[in-house]
């Protein structure tokens, strides 16, 4: 039994989680900290006596700390260590001596103040090999006294000084767990002795490096003592500084956090980064985009003096850029327009100026401004109101927001009085078009429909939006309005005109892609985390989150306003929690007060408050998911840090990078790479980040499932006739004849099963999930104490985040889940500063249950299947993790979560399985990579999921009882009905051939995003094999497998247990026949 390339190069999942060696195809560059570069000499330098005495201190510390390391969860505080060391040395242990050791070995010695609660250990000290008892009562972990849930609340007095050495010893493996992550075992005496010896050797190396690097006219002792002063810890509670001030910086200078206008330039900041002791050539690539001058032009005909005055007074705009003029001129000529230019190029002016022109010509004019998020609509509404207020004669124009948060009692007034409505496609679909009779005043006078962030609409959601737009145009025409102009704005995408045509269904489109806006200089860094200690590679690499938060703290201290993008919500909260701890330990409470996290799930009030804080300039840092990826104006941002390659791919990557420097200032974008294969691919090929074209945005106008849903809605808005084919295309006739109701006069009406409100049966974003309310009950039972709702969590997330005993993180603050009620959909949490996080122990099976259709694969005896798929998720326990190591495993008894959907699947033939096993290949790796290869060649893959292989299971140290069939399976997310799986099934032959050809021709060695890796793989593409994928694809296509291909696998092997079994046939419905090609 063996694993293939990816496991060996990427390591186990545990390695990935701990940030250990990344799967790089070339040896990563590492660099010694300045002043510590090893110099090889034949004779070792002669040590001054001072260093011999320092070695005695180090050895004593080493012995004591090694002993502590051999005891599970031993709290290593400086007072405890000092007492033990002094008993060995018979002399006092001074802070300065420890600081000198820290200066010599900065990546090995941990010496800092830590919140007292971070040293708390689990109340249940017994860890057995069988099932564990339930956690002790929650009261054991609650903070004494009233606990606060306020954002950025810090108790500066509750800190202790911690002294520890970084420990790379894993100890003995426990044979009973069979887990990729194992509980930290006690070190054996031999292992403890080896650990002590290795650390002593490292100290000697460090001293030799210092002596060799010290110029002849300098005293190494004086240099070390000077450097040590920077490492003497400062208690966070002492000498708290006034607002705007920060603690002494790295050079010992007291400084105030600079105002935005006086911050150092980005070039100066990067130069300073490269001078830091912790900089070890993390910058794998640096590209500079020089500043660009703006190109202005004149409108023909020119705008009125009142509009010019409004732009000047409200925005300080005295001239228009070239792309703005081109778009406004095209609209005045009766054309539809799409503007696809860079972020912050003034695209909103393109539809705001024509709106003012329409209103000046006809005060009855109306407009829809459509945005993908409520935050973006809120932001743009405020800007338009200010513009209208500054325009003489238009001050009275009413602007309103009409979305799901709009109270019912206000909606009638908005319909009757508003001239401009900020809304979204959900409301047009479900609230406006179904009641078109109440909206006729507005629709008759509709002059402009502006859709911002058009690149957001693609895949199944975009396909629904395209049909909503066609329904809107049809209703407008029916009330006598064929004069509406359509304008859209987008980030830079390929084929913007075609994308707009697909969405709006209109012709006569003017593409504007030449950007005339000025742009400040932008530095782009690809940042690859270094080894924790270059002299000891066994310690592994520094975790990407550690690097990202350290870089963020460095930038904020210099007045650089920064946003840190995280891929998922949990990473966002963990990063915020890390920033809290690090800024507190550094004594930088002035900065901590100006940092917040922002993500989906927060209440509307919290989101608006954070947006206001950011826009006002009060915030120095924001930790966010892609909720802020779109163009919400959150004020001046100088820098963007991306923690890992975004799941949205290159388009999302460039959108995030564009959030910095939005007002023509110099800016910085940093991509901090994870150790995952996708990230490391771009570390090794950074040119692709800048030069590779993004994929086309696809809209499925031929989906009968989506089209029928909207025809049912359209038939309710007004009966359909054959003439409506101009809106809905040639497939309309067949669907109307077979799925709608035809009256005697030939009109088509909604089928009764959709009545009385068809739009309620059609969710354009997929079925809305049930949500659990997370309620903070910490203050319940105390004077004035009430329960408060922290946020709402979707069912699909709640299962993994709010089980009893879980640590729930909100704004970087930790809460313990005390009680979960599945009947009331409520989770009660209490504020508690625990020093661990929790990770669910779960699995999800994706199983084909019934076959509806079978299709021939051309030239192959194999078949493709389509039918009913069951998803089964079970959370059977959770791990408690501290510093990415398991400190306890707890069992849970939770009900399984079952849901059904549709999907397609391909069974790997037994002959291919036998061949792979005979050649020492791992079938799970081959199947996983083949699934990604298939999806990478399917245009609508964004709305299709697959069963990703989990490294903890596939590389388990013990045999797994959960065997999975040798099957490539793809399914639609439950709640979404777009017909994507059936489309993949219908085109399976073309997709398989494309996938095979791409994998076979790809020049990469072990897989990349062009062939077998996927940015959306939730398991990080760790379980993967490019060669295995090619064998699976050849077997499915019935093509011969070259012997040379089998020899491409490395000969090194590692024992793993097979987790894949032959796929059995799935019961078919009666009468199913094989469909020929």
């Amino acid at each position: 039994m063996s694993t293939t390339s990816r496991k060996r190069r990427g390591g186990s999942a545990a390695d990935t989680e701990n940030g250990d060696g990344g799967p790089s195809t070339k040896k990563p560059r590492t660099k010694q900290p300045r002043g510590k570069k090893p110099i090889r000499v034949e004779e070792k330098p002669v040590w001054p006596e001072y260093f011999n005495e320092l070695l005695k201190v180090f050895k004593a510390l080493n012995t004591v700390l090694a002993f502590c390391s051999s005891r599970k969860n031993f709290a290593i505080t400086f007072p405890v260590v000092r007492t033990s060391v002094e008993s060995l040395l018979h002399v006092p242990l001074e802070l300065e001596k420890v600081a000198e050791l820290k200066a010599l070995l900065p990546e090995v010695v941990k010496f800092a103040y830590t919140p007292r609660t971070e040293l708390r250990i689990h109340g249940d000290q017994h860890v057995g090999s069988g099932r564990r008892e339930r956690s002790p009562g929650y009261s054991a972990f609650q903070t004494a006294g009233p606990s606060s849930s306020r954002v950025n609340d810090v108790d500066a007095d509750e800190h202790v000084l911690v002294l520890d050495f970084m420990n790379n010893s894993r100890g003995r493996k426990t044979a009973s767990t069979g887990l990729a992550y194992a509980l930290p075992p006690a070190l054996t005496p031999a292992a403890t002795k080896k650990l002590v010896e290795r650390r002593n050797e490292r100290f000697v190396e460090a001293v030799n490096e210092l002596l060799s690097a010290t110029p002849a006219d300098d005293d190494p002792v004086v240099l070390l003592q000077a450097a040590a002063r920077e490492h003497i810890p400062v208690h966070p509670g002492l000498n708290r500084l006034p607002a705007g001030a920060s603690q002494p910086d790295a050079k010992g200078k007291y400084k105030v956090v600079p105002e935005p206008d006086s911050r150092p330039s980005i070039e100066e900041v990067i130069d300073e980064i490269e001078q830091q002791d912790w900089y070890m050539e993390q910058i794998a690539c640096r590209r500079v985009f020089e500043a660009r001058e703006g190109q202005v032009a004149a409108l023909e005909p020119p705008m009125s003096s009142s509009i010019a005055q409004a732009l000047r007074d409200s925005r300080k705009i005295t001239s228009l850029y070239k792309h703005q003029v081109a778009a406004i001129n095209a609209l005045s000529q009766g054309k539809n327009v799409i503007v696809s230019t860079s972020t912050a190029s003034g695209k909103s002016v393109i539809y705001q100026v024509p709106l003012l022109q329409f209103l000046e010509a006809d005060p009855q004019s109306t407009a829809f401004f459509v945005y993908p998020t409520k935050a973006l609509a809120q932001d743009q509404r405020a800007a338009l109101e200010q513009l209208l207020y500054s325009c003489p004669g238009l001050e009275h124009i009413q602007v309103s927001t009409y979305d799901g948060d709009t109270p019912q009692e206000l909606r009638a007034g908005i319909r009757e009085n508003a001239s401009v409505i900020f809304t979204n496609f959900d409301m047009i679909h479900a609230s406006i078009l179904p009641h078109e009779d109440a909206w006729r005043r507005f629709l008759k006078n509709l002059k402009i429909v502006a859709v911002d962030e058009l690149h957001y609409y693609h895949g199944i959601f975009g396909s629904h939006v395209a049909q909503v737009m066609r329904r809107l145009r049809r209703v407008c025409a029916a009330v006598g309005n064929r004069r509406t102009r359509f304008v859209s704005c987008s980030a830079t995408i390929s084929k913007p005109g075609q994308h707009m045509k697909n969405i709006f269904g209109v012709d006569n489109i003017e593409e504007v892609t030449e950007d005339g806006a000025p742009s400040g200089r932008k530095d782009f860094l690809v940042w690859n985390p270094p080894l924790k200690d270059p002299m000891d590679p066994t310690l592994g690499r520094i975790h990407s989150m550690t690097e990202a938060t350290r870089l963020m703290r460095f930038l904020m201290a210099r007045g650089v306003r920064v946003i840190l993008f995280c891929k998922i919500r949990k990473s966002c909260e963990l990063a915020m929690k890390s920033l809290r701890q690090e800024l507190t330990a550094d004594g930088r409470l002035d900065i901590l007060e100006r940092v917040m996290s922002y993500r989906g799930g927060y209440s509307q009030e919290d989101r608006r408050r954070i947006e206001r804080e950011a826009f006002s300039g009060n915030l120095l840092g924001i930790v966010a998911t892609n909720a802020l990826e779109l163009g919400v104006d959150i004020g001046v941002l100088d820098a963007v840090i991306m923690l890992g390659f975004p799941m949205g791919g290159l388009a999302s990557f460039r959108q995030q990078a564009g959030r910095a420097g939005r007002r023509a200032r110099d800016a910085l974008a940093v991509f901090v790479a994870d150790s995952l294969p996708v990230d490391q691919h771009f570390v090794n090929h950074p040119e692709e980040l800048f030069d590779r074209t993004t994929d086309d945005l696809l809209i499925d106008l031929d989906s009968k499932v989506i089209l029928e849903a909207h025809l049912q809605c359209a038939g309710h808005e007004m009966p359909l006739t054959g003439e409506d084919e101009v809106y809905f295309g040639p497939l309309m006739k067949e669907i109307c004849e077979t799925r709608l109701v035809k009256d005697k006069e030939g009109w088509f009406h909604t089928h009764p099963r959709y009545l009385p409100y068809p739009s309620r049966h059609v969710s354009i974003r997929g079925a809305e999930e049930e949500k659990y309310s997370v309620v903070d009950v910490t203050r319940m039972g105390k004077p004035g104490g009430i329960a408060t709702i922290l946020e709402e969590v979707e069912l699909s997330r709640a299962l993994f985040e709010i089980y009893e005993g879980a640590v729930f993180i909100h704004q970087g603050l930790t809460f313990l889940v005390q009680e979960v009620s599945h009947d009331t959909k409520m989770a009660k949490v209490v504020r508690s500063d625990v020093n661990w996080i929790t990770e669910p122990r779960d699995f999800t099976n994706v199983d084909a249950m019934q076959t509806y259709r079978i299709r021939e694969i051309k030239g192959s005896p194999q078949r493709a299947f389509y039918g009913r798929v069951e998803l089964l998720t079970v959370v059977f326990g959770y791990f408690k993790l501290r510093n990415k190591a398991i400190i306890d495993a707890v069992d849970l008894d939770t009900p399984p979560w079952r849901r059904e959907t549709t999907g397609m699947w391909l069974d790997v033939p037994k002959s291919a399985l036998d061949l792979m096993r005979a050649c020492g290949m791992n079938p799970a790796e081959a199947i996983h990579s083949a699934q990604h290869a298939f999806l990478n060649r399917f245009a609508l893959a964004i709305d299709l999921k697959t069963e990703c292989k989990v490294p903890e299971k596939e590389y388990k140290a013990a045999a797994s009882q959960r065997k999975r069939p040798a099957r490539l399976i793809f399914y639609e997310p439950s709640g979404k009905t777009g017909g994507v799986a059936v489309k993949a099934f219908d085109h399976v032959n073309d997709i398989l051939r494309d996938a095979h050809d791409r994998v076979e021709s790809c020049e990469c060695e072990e897989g990349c995003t062009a062939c077998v890796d996927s940015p959306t793989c939730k398991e990080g593409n760790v379980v993967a094999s490019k060669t295995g994928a090619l064998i699976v694809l050849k077997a499915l296509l019935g093509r011969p497998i070259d012997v040379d291909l089998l020899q491409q696998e490395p000969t090194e092997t590692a024992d793993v247990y097979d987790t894949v079994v032959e796929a059995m046939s799935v019961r078919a419905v009666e009468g199913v026949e094989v469909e020929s090609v």
Side-chain angles (χ1 to χ4, degrees):
M1 296 179 290
S2 71
T3 64
T4 55
S5 54
R6 180 60 49 74
K7 179 171 185 272
R8 285 187 290 275
R9 74 178 159 107
S12 71
D15 294 332
T16 301
E17 182 68 22
N18 286 302
D20 292 342
S24 174
T25 58
K26 66 179 182 182
K27 187 176 180 179
R29 301 187 301 154
T30 59
K31 178 183 174 183
Q32 296 298 315
R34 278 177 165 72
K36 299 196 183 94
K37 189 172 182 179
I39 298 178
R40 297 184 181 278
V41 293
E42 293 181 2
E43 295 183 5
K44 294 182 179 179
V46 178
W47 283 27
E49 184 58 28
Y50 188 87
F51 289 104
N52 289 321
E53 293 300 318
L54 195 60
L55 175 59
K56 294 178 183 178
V57 175
F58 182 84
K59 285 184 174 180
L61 268 174
N62 194 6
T63 301
V64 172
L65 292 174
F67 173 81
C68 295
S69 298
S70 69
R71 297 297 180 266
K72 182 176 181 288
N73 297 329
F74 199 96
I76 309 175
T77 62
F78 182 63
V80 172
V81 175
R82 170 185 259 171
T83 302
S84 301
V85 170
E86 289 177 346
S87 67
L88 293 175
L89 296 175
H90 305 294
V91 293
L93 177 63
E94 303 296 339
L95 282 174
E96 290 78 4
K97 293 293 184 187
V98 182
E100 290 171 15
L101 298 178
K102 173 71 173 175
L104 267 176
L105 299 167
E107 300 297 342
V108 175
V109 179
K110 177 183 178 182
F111 191 41
Y113 279 96
T114 300
R116 185 180 301 277
T117 52
E118 287 300 309
L119 301 181
R120 183 181 295 133
I121 60 175
H122 196 290
D124 180 6
Q125 294 294 321
H126 175 70
V127 180
S129 59
R131 293 177 65 89
R132 289 165 176 79
E133 298 177 2
R134 292 181 62 85
S135 300
Y138 294 96
S139 60
F141 306 112
Q142 292 185 32
T143 306
S147 179
S148 172
S149 298
R150 293 177 303 168
V151 172
N152 295 337
D153 180 42
V154 178
D155 186 354
D157 297 326
E158 291 296 315
H159 290 78
V160 292
L161 184 57
V162 171
L163 172 60
D164 198 4
F165 285 174
M166 295 202 49
N167 181 16
N168 65 314
S169 176
R170 310 290 187 206
R172 285 181 304 199
K173 290 185 178 179
T174 51
S176 61
T177 60
L179 300 169
Y181 296 122
L183 296 172
L187 293 176
T188 63
T192 302
K193 181 181 178 182
K194 185 176 180 181
L195 179 65
V196 169
E197 291 172 351
R198 184 164 58 248
R199 286 173 175 170
N200 288 340
E201 291 170 1
R202 182 67 187 92
F203 177 85
V204 172
E205 290 172 356
V207 172
N208 287 336
E209 292 168 21
L210 174 62
L211 296 177
S212 299
T214 302
D217 55 346
D218 282 339
D219 184 346
V221 175
V222 173
L223 291 177
L224 178 61
Q225 290 174 338
R229 284 194 286 271
E230 303 173 12
H231 296 286
I232 296 177
V234 178
H235 193 289
L238 298 180
N239 302 322
R240 180 162 182 170
L241 302 174
S246 71
Q247 296 292 333
D249 67 2
K251 296 183 179 180
K253 298 178 182 178
Y254 177 88
K255 60 187 291 188
V256 173
V257 176
E259 291 299 317
D261 293 337
S262 58
R263 69 162 172 81
S265 70
I266 294 301
E267 188 172 11
E268 291 171 333
V269 170
I270 295 174
D271 289 343
E272 191 179 354
I273 287 173
E274 293 178 331
Q275 300 300 320
Q276 300 302 304
D277 287 341
W278 46 263
Y279 179 72
M280 292 178 281
E281 283 200 33
Q282 287 98 320
I283 299 176
C285 173
R286 178 179 180 182
R287 182 174 288 198
V288 177
F289 297 88
E290 296 296 344
R292 183 183 66 222
E293 294 292 329
Q295 295 177 290
V296 298
L299 279 176
E300 290 296 339
M303 69 180 79
S304 67
S305 59
S306 57
I307 296 178
Q309 176 186 330
L311 288 172
R312 184 173 59 253
D313 294 348
S314 67
R315 309 271 182 85
K316 296 183 174 59
I317 295 175
T318 56
S319 59
L320 296 179
Y321 299 125
K322 185 177 179 180
H323 65 282
Q324 295 171 328
V325 169
I328 295 171
N329 283 340
L331 284 168
S332 67
Q333 295 165 11
K335 296 180 181 179
N336 303 300
V337 174
I338 180 169
V339 181
S340 179
T341 55
S342 61
T343 309
S345 55
K347 291 191 282 283
S348 59
V349 171
I350 288 162
Y351 49 83
Q352 290 171 350
V353 168
L355 169 67
L356 268 59
Q357 291 174 330
F358 282 126
L359 286 169
E360 283 189 332
D362 178 8
Q364 300 301 315
S365 298
T366 60
F368 277 135
F369 284 5
V370 183
Y371 296 90
T373 66
K374 295 175 183 177
L376 188 52
Q378 187 96 353
D379 176 39
Q380 292 295 330
R381 175 186 167 181
L384 179 63
E385 286 179 326
Q386 186 180 23
L387 183 62
L388 287 167
Y389 183 77
S390 303
C391 189
L394 298 182
E395 302 93 338
H396 66 286
I397 294 297
Q398 181 176 330
V399 179
S400 299
T401 299
Y402 194 83
D403 60 24
D405 293 335
T406 305
Q408 288 289 339
E409 62 271 17
L410 299 181
R411 296 189 177 190
I414 292 173
R415 284 196 303 267
E416 295 166 5
N417 302 312
S419 296
V420 185
I421 286 181
F422 284 73
T423 188
N424 52 52
F425 281 112
D426 305 85
M427 295 301 289
I428 295 175
H429 159 68
S431 183
I432 295 174
L433 291 177
H435 305 285
E436 56 83 22
D437 54 331
W439 285 87
R440 286 187 180 174
R441 175 201 70 87
F442 196 95
L443 297 174
K444 282 181 180 179
N445 295 291
L446 186 62
K447 297 296 195 301
I448 191 166
V449 175
V451 180
D452 202 6
E453 308 285 355
L454 195 69
H455 59 276
Y456 181 81
Y457 306 101
H458 62 106
I460 291 302
F461 180 45
S463 303
H464 277 289
V465 164
Q467 299 299 341
V468 172
M469 280 301 310
R470 284 155 174 77
R471 287 163 51 199
L472 175 63
R473 289 174 46 233
R474 172 176 177 260
V475 169
C476 286
V479 298
N481 180 6
R482 298 178 184 270
R483 304 173 305 281
T484 304
R485 306 276 196 280
F486 298 94
V487 57
S488 58
C489 300
S490 169
T492 304
I493 58 175
S494 62
K495 303 177 184 177
Q498 184 61 49
H499 187 56
M500 182 176 184
K501 181 176 181 179
N502 290 339
I503 292 285
F504 289 81
V506 297
D507 295 310
N508 195 21
I509 296 173
E510 180 85 3
E511 272 189 18
V512 178
T513 57
E514 188 174 347
D515 193 347
S519 174
R521 168 186 165 129
K522 175 170 284 188
D523 286 78
F524 203 115
L525 306 180
V526 176
W527 187 280
N528 200 24
L531 294 171
K532 292 176 181 175
D533 182 358
M535 301 302 294
D536 188 359
T538 60
L539 285 173
R541 291 187 173 273
I542 295 176
H543 196 275
S544 56
M545 184 175 290
T546 302
E547 287 287 282
T549 53
R550 175 163 58 184
L551 193 58
M552 187 175 182
R553 287 184 288 127
F554 184 89
L555 294 173
M556 291 189 296
R558 283 143 188 84
V560 177
R561 298 185 181 181
V562 58
I563 183 169
L564 171 61
F565 278 114
C566 303
K567 289 192 283 190
I568 58 175
R569 296 179 182 183
K570 186 168 186 178
S571 295
C572 179
E573 292 293 358
L574 288 174
M576 186 66 208
K577 181 174 184 285
S578 178
L579 285 169
R580 280 185 180 281
Q581 295 170 348
E582 293 161 359
L583 288 170
T584 303
D586 290 346
R588 305 299 296 266
L589 303 184
D590 58 314
I591 296 178
L592 178 56
E593 291 171 343
R594 301 173 65 185
V595 183
M596 288 184 177
S597 60
Y598 183 103
R599 60 173 176 79
Y602 287 172
S603 67
Q604 179 186 357
E605 294 76 14
D606 280 349
R607 289 199 306 270
R608 298 294 176 266
R609 177 173 54 82
I610 297 168
E611 289 159 14
R612 286 194 301 271
E613 288 284 309
F615 186 77
S616 66
N618 291 338
L619 294 187
L620 269 174
I622 302 174
V623 183
T625 58
N626 61 359
L628 282 180
E629 185 178 300
L630 299 173
V632 182
D633 190 350
I634 50 175
V636 177
L637 287 174
D638 304 305
V640 167
I641 301 174
M642 290 164 280
L643 179 53
F645 189 73
M647 289 186 168
L650 271 179
S652 181
F653 181 92
R654 291 170 184 168
Q655 187 77 0
Q656 290 181 6
R659 292 313 311 268
R662 291 174 60 83
R663 292 180 182 173
R665 293 197 60 185
D666 64 335
L668 173 67
V670 186
F671 164 44
V672 179
D674 283 332
S675 59
L676 301 176
V678 169
D679 295 59
Q680 291 301 311
H681 171 80
F682 288 113
V683 168
N684 296 322
H685 304 280
E687 69 283 353
E688 294 185 15
L689 295 171
F690 314 104
D691 305 331
R692 199 168 94 183
T693 58
T694 56
D695 295 333
D696 293 342
L697 300 179
L698 293 166
I699 300 297
D700 187 5
L701 297 174
D702 298 324
S703 169
K704 293 183 178 180
V705 174
I706 295 175
L707 180 56
E708 184 205 338
H710 289 277
L711 288 175
Q712 299 286 2
C713 295
H716 187 253
E717 291 151 13
M718 58 185 66
L720 291 154
T721 70
E723 296 177 359
D724 290 320
E725 191 172 309
V726 68
Y727 299 106
F728 300 110
L731 294 176
M732 182 196 112
K733 183 177 180 180
E734 176 193 345
I735 294 175
C736 284
E737 293 284 357
T738 57
R739 313 295 289 185
L740 276 72
V741 177
K742 187 176 184 180
D743 65 19
K744 295 179 181 178
E745 297 177 357
W747 298 85
F748 293 97
H749 301 263
T750 304
H751 193 281
R753 70 172 176 271
Y754 282 86
L755 296 175
Y757 301 109
S759 62
R760 293 184 181 177
H761 295 269
V762 181
S763 175
I764 64 176
R765 295 179 189 262
E768 187 170 348
E769 288 189 68
E770 292 182 288
K771 294 183 179 180
Y772 280 67
S773 296
V774 180
V775 182
D776 180 9
V777 297
T778 306
R779 297 181 181 274
M780 291 290 289
K782 299 173 183 176
I786 59 172
T788 57
I789 296 178
L790 291 180
E791 60 181 275
E792 292 186 328
V793 180
E794 298 88 348
L795 174 61
S796 57
R797 287 180 51 231
L799 200 68
F800 305 103
E801 294 185 15
I802 54 175
Y803 42 85
E804 292 184 9
V807 174
F808 186 82
I809 309 178
H810 177 85
Q811 278 291 338
L813 300 171
T814 52
F815 297 79
L816 276 170
V817 179
Q818 190 177 50
E819 179 185 338
V820 179
S821 170
H822 297 289
D823 295 329
T824 61
K825 300 290 187 293
M826 180 186 296
K828 295 180 180 179
V829 300
V830 291
R831 176 79 174 89
S832 183
D833 291 312
V834 296
N835 67 331
W836 66 83
I837 60 173
T838 50
E839 189 74 27
R841 301 158 62 197
D842 64 271
F843 65 83
T844 296
N845 285 344
V846 181
D847 290 314
M849 303 301 291
Q850 190 171 32
T851 302
Y852 298 159
R853 294 173 61 190
I854 305 174
R855 179 173 283 271
E856 179 183 61
I857 297 177
K858 188 175 182 180
S860 171
Q862 309 308 319
R863 300 288 182 262
F865 305 90
Y866 171 80
R868 178 166 58 89
V869 172
E870 181 185 78
L871 311 179
L872 170 68
T873 299
V874 177
V875 177
F876 55 89
Y878 62 90
F879 292 126
K880 291 186 177 181
L881 303 175
R882 180 187 297 142
N883 298 325
K884 306 175 187 71
I886 294 175
I887 60 173
D888 196 14
V890 179
D891 295 323
L892 290 174
D893 184 15
T894 59
W897 182 33
R898 298 179 187 270
R899 58 261 192 229
E900 287 190 351
T901 183
T902 55
M904 64 152 293
W905 58 92
L906 299 150
D907 291 343
V908 179
K910 184 176 183 299
S911 58
L913 282 179
D914 294 341
L915 180 64
M916 286 188 285
R917 287 170 177 146
C919 296
M921 302 176 69
N922 187 329
E925 294 176 332
I927 291 170
H928 191 199
S929 291
Q931 289 176 147
H932 285 325
F934 184 94
L935 289 176
N936 284 345
R937 308 310 297 171
F938 179 46
L940 295 172
I942 188 174
D943 293 295
L944 206 59
K945 304 296 181 184
T946 190
E947 185 179 48
C948 288
K949 302 297 184 183
V950 183
E952 286 88 344
K953 171 179 177 287
E954 304 305 333
Y955 303 137
K956 198 173 181 181
S960 172
Q961 301 302 312
R962 190 173 143 254
K963 308 290 187 181
R964 303 300 298 141
R967 173 175 292 147
L968 281 64
I969 189 163
F970 311 95
Y971 62 94
E972 296 188 44
S974 57
K976 288 194 175 183
T977 53
V980 181
V982 75
K983 185 158 293 261
F985 173 79
D986 288 338
H987 294 85
V988 65
N989 280 279
D990 293 336
I991 300 170
L992 276 177
R993 282 196 301 271
D994 288 350
H996 169 274
D997 295 346
R998 184 57 182 167
V999 174
E1000 190 171 53
S1001 63
C1002 191
E1003 295 180 355
C1004 71
E1005 294 182 11
E1006 297 177 322
C1008 65
T1009 53
C1011 56
V1012 300
D1013 284 352
S1014 169
T1016 61
C1017 178
K1018 62 182 181 179
E1019 302 301 335
N1021 300 285
V1022 174
V1023 183
S1025 168
K1026 179 181 178 181
T1027 303
L1030 190 54
I1031 289 175
V1032 169
L1033 293 170
K1034 285 182 178 294
L1036 291 171
L1037 288 166
R1039 298 186 182 181
I1041 298 172
D1042 194 338
V1043 175
D1044 292 338
L1045 186 64
L1046 302 176
Q1047 296 174 349
Q1048 290 181 18
E1049 282 300 293
T1051 55
E1052 57 183 281
T1053 61
D1055 288 340
V1056 295
Y1057 289 87
D1058 203 343
T1059 61
V1060 173
V1061 296
E1062 182 183 358
M1064 299 291 103
S1065 61
V1066 178
R1067 178 175 58 90
V1069 297
E1070 189 174 349
V1072 174
E1073 296 182 359
V1074 178
E1075 303 170 20
S1076 59
V1077 179

